[in-house]
Amino acid sequence: MPVLIYPAGALAPVISQATIEYHYGKHLQTYVDNFNRLVKDTEYETMTLREIVIQAPEGPLLNNAGQVLNHALYFEQFTPYPPANNRPNGTLQNSIHFDFGNFDTLKQKMEEAASTLFGSGWVWLAQEESGKLAVINCHNGDNPLRHKMTPLYGIDVWEHAYYLDYQNRRAEHVKRLWEIVDWEMIESRLNI
Ligand code: MN
């Protein structure tokens, strides 16, 4: 089970303590339990989680492995509200400017992608093998690693991520998340 690196109430009011308690404590715990049960005594048991997400065929093991990795990255990418620094800096800022023009354009692209993703899934800022940044939609438990890309910042658009706090207002939730992104963490995920 990935460790939560801040108290459950630390992201409020952007994400409430109740949502973190359900999302981290119940949803992620269930993915972890299912994954551990499904991987036992298989050829995947000795692989890393990332290797499994890249190599496992479609099915329950991949679904749960993908969601464990997605959520490990998700919970680790936020910083207590209000954060000291919530803008990209350094290499990441340069890459964003080079590939999107500016930070606001990146935000707009991710917000649009999150609004138009039908059903459950994730919107990712990801890095292609060439180093270029891209915004991609992943359905259900899919992850950029399946598409030869490195996951950098992931927005969970499954309803369990926001329904307690925002009900059907997914767009408002996604917009507010910018207030708690730990951009140093995101930058540390770059392949450079
Ligand atoms: Mn989730």
Side-chain angles (χ1 to χ4, degrees):
M1 184 72 176
V3 174
L4 195 62
I5 54 177
Y6 40 75
L11 307 182
V14 178
I15 303 176
S16 69
Q17 179 165 342
T19 291
I20 294 292
E21 283 170 356
Y22 273 96
H23 197 185
Y24 173 81
K26 307 276 188 214
H27 289 276
L28 176 53
Q29 186 67 61
T30 300
Y31 293 129
V32 168
D33 292 346
N34 287 340
F35 169 70
N36 284 332
R37 181 171 47 78
L38 290 163
V39 79
K40 200 170 167 357
D41 302 324
T42 71
E43 61 190 295
Y44 300 100
E45 197 170 14
T46 56
M47 291 185 189
T48 66
L49 184 58
R50 281 174 186 252
E51 286 168 344
I52 296 170
V53 167
I54 291 168
Q55 294 177 33
E58 301 276 336
L61 174 63
L62 176 63
N63 290 340
N64 284 281
Q67 283 292 69
V68 172
L69 178 61
N70 288 340
H71 286 87
L73 292 166
Y74 176 83
F75 288 111
E76 189 189 58
Q77 73 191 358
F78 296 124
T79 188
Y81 180 91
N85 167 29
N86 64 345
R87 287 186 74 86
N89 284 295
T91 309
L92 181 60
Q93 184 187 35
N94 291 340
S95 297
I96 289 170
H97 284 203
F98 191 80
D99 294 324
F100 297 102
N102 55 55
F103 182 42
D104 283 341
T105 304
L106 166 64
K107 293 204 289 193
Q108 199 187 332
K109 268 188 193 293
M110 291 195 79
E111 288 168 13
E112 276 171 17
S115 298
T116 53
L117 194 153
F118 188 77
S120 295
W122 293 76
V123 174
W124 287 95
L125 171 63
Q127 187 182 29
E128 297 174 359
E129 281 180 317
S130 67
K132 190 179 188 307
L133 303 183
V135 172
I136 63 164
N137 281 2
C138 289
H139 287 281
N140 301 320
D142 192 18
N143 183 283
L145 289 175
R146 300 278 293 181
H147 310 277
K148 295 188 170 20
M149 298 172 89
T150 302
L152 301 177
Y153 170 57
I155 302 175
D156 186 346
V157 298
W158 287 60
E159 285 186 346
H160 65 227
Y162 60 88
Y163 216 83
L164 280 179
D165 301 333
Y166 297 85
Q167 293 76 48
N168 61 331
R169 303 189 307 280
R170 182 193 285 186
E172 185 185 332
H173 166 68
V174 169
K175 245 184 213 308
R176 291 220 63 186
L177 289 179
W178 299 115
E179 297 175 45
I180 52 168
V181 177
D182 181 348
W183 288 105
E184 284 178 26
M185 175 62 72
I186 307 302
E187 187 174 12
S188 76
R189 294 172 178 173
L190 281 172
N191 271 322
I192 43 177

